[in-house]
Amino acid sequence: MAAKALKTSVFVWEGTDKKGGKIKGELTGQSPALVKAQLRKQGINPLKVRKKPVSLFGAGKKIKPVDIALFTRQMATMMKAGCRCCSPSTSSARASTTPTCAS
């Protein structure tokens, strides 16, 4: 029987050390409660533990030069055909098979 893979996330935390100094950092764990327990084992009193937000632009999906070339060619063709400037970008994005360009 295969065991389920446990989902881990990155959590951002703030806390105090044994001397009362404020410290903060990141820790990977399955839940905020488990991250707090790990911090307590390290001698840190956790004040805030929350999931690290995902950046809208830094999600790791980059637009490739091939996609830019394709978009540019489609835009030029549509502009020569007399389409308005707003229409080509939306229709080209819809025609794209790359999720980054289609959004």
Side-chain angles (χ1 to χ4, degrees):
M1 184 186 285
K4 276 189 173 180
L6 299 174
K7 186 177 177 186
T8 60
S9 301
V10 177
F11 291 90
V12 179
W13 57 268
E14 293 180 20
T16 55
D17 59 8
K18 291 180 182 180
K19 295 179 182 179
K22 288 194 175 191
I23 51 175
K24 55 185 169 180
E26 295 180 2
L27 195 60
T28 304
Q30 296 169 1
S31 71
L34 291 174
V35 171
K36 286 180 183 180
Q38 283 181 322
L39 291 169
R40 284 190 195 102
K41 284 181 184 178
Q42 296 174 10
I44 299 169
N45 182 23
L47 300 174
K48 291 182 188 177
V49 176
R50 57 189 149 80
K51 205 177 230 187
K52 184 175 182 180
V54 178
S55 173
L56 295 176
F57 299 108
K61 298 178 182 177
K62 299 195 178 199
I63 297 175
K64 298 176 184 173
V66 174
D67 295 329
I68 294 172
L70 178 66
F71 173 79
T72 305
R73 275 189 245 128
Q74 289 176 345
M75 178 79 103
T77 303
M78 290 181 190
M79 288 179 76
K80 282 183 184 177
C83 293
R84 290 180 299 163
C85 201
C86 296
S87 298
S89 62
T90 54
S91 59
S92 292
R94 283 191 208 119
S96 175
T97 57
T98 307
T100 308
C101 295
S103 56

